[in-house]
Amino acid sequence: QVQLVESGGGLVQAGGSLRLSCAASGRIPSSIVMGWFRQAPGEEREFVAVISWTGTIYADSVKGRFAISGDIARNTWALQMNSLKSEDTAVYYCAAGRSIATIAGAYDYWGQGTQVTVSS
């Protein structure tokens, strides 16, 4: 079992930056895959970014603006979000799985989510 806790959300003006963190605890495999997803009101949960020992993948909508990183020794992951836009407003979730994937169903564990609001 893996527990995930996100932090770092908040309110920011368009063009600003935020850094989200995800702390993992429990039985964490060294090959863990960590993803970030987001869900806006009335929308489906959508893929943002994923990192594994093989590399990273980003959604086209955030490529060049967001950066995912991880410190497996400290069991923490981060999502640096720059040049934020109003359309980035959503609840952001970190998720842990066993294989790199861009679909939510592939992930076994989820955090509780953290709100990111970008004002225009």
Side-chain angles (χ1 to χ4, degrees), residues 37-77:
F37 288 76
R38 65 188 182 186
Q39 189 166 19
E43 302 289 333
E44 293 188 353
R45 194 166 295 190
E46 69 168 347
F47 168 76
V48 174
V50 60
I51 186 169
S52 75
W53 64 275
T54 61
T56 58
I57 300 175
Y58 294 93
D60 288 343
S61 59
V62 306
K63 204 171 291 183
R65 300 188 297 122
F66 290 12
I68 189 171
S69 60
D71 185 341
I72 189 68
R74 298 185 178 184
N75 294 329
T76 59
W77 286 260

Side-chain angles (χ1 to χ4, degrees), residues 2-6 20-25 28-37 47-58 67-72 74-79 93-103 106-111:
V2 176
Q3 294 79 43
L4 304 174
V5 178
E6 303 98 336
L20 305 183
S21 296
C22 179
S25 60
I28 303 166
S30 59
S31 58
I32 193 170
V33 172
M34 188 62 69
W36 286 94
F37 288 76
F47 168 76
V48 174
V50 60
I51 186 169
S52 75
W53 64 275
T54 61
T56 58
I57 300 175
Y58 294 93
I68 189 171
S69 60
D71 185 341
I72 189 68
R74 298 185 178 184
N75 294 329
T76 59
W77 286 260
L79 184 69
Y93 300 88
C94 65
R98 290 163 288 178
S99 58
I100 197 163
T102 61
I103 56 172
Y107 291 80
D108 302 309
Y109 305 102
W110 292 84

